[in-house]
Amino acid sequence: MDQQLNDEAGLRTVYREPSEGATLKMLSTIDKHSQRFIELSPFFCIGTSRPDGLADVSPRGGEPGFVHVLDDTHLAFPDRPGNNRLDTLTNVVHSPSVGLLFFLPGFEEMLRINGIAQIVTSEDLMTRFIVDGKPPRSVMVIEVREVYFHCTKALRRSQLWNPEKHVSRDVLPSFGQIMRDQIKSLIPAKIIDMALKKDAKDNLY
């Protein structure tokens, strides 16, 4: 049986201690470089914890700068229409600790932010995020505790931004067909695809 590494001491028998630079790079506030990265980023993932102990990660996207830096320890972003499962929001209500990973197209560096979240519907914040006359459903405000840039190795290995590595859409069935198979629906995949396309067009904001 493979040996399990189930404590930090065990992990350190395999992994060396982090370099001084890796330790010192973690900040407790949003500096000018982190703020600029956030202002340019159109996409990030947010990690939360479920009440049953499992973790969850959800994507968030918008126009570059859709996440607003309120001050050097707070940022905010809108909650746009989705599937109404409310996984992330429900998790935050139970456990407000969150982790954010920001991406910038073409950049191999990423930005990590860890903090404490709250969900608000105050008018001043809701107004900041109106698009095409439509306000968000709510706004999430993050009290920032840790900020640091993540090294390039993951994106360099994956070549995520390399157009030559992009996967042709026809290697998988349409999303409608995938959904039809997974939920065992009798509705034709073409109809599901049309409904999904219409929803994405009509309910983007």
Side-chain angles (χ1 to χ4, degrees), residues 131-152:
V131 174
D132 295 335
K134 299 177 181 179
R137 306 299 176 86
S138 64
V139 173
M140 188 172 292
V141 178
I142 309 296
E143 179 187 344
V144 174
R145 299 288 180 84
E146 298 175 345
V147 182
Y148 56 102
F149 278 92
H150 195 95
C151 74
T152 65

Side-chain angles (χ1 to χ4, degrees), residues 127-177:
T127 301
R128 293 176 69 113
F129 297 104
I130 293 176
V131 174
D132 295 335
K134 299 177 181 179
R137 306 299 176 86
S138 64
V139 173
M140 188 172 292
V141 178
I142 309 296
E143 179 187 344
V144 174
R145 299 288 180 84
E146 298 175 345
V147 182
Y148 56 102
F149 278 92
H150 195 95
C151 74
T152 65
K153 291 177 182 175
L155 289 189
R156 183 164 294 185
R157 284 190 289 256
S158 69
Q159 298 190 56
L160 183 65
W161 308 128
N162 183 353
E164 296 180 1
K165 299 294 183 178
H166 289 182
V167 179
S168 174
R169 184 62 187 83
D170 61 12
V171 303
L172 287 171
S174 72
F175 190 31
Q177 183 63 56

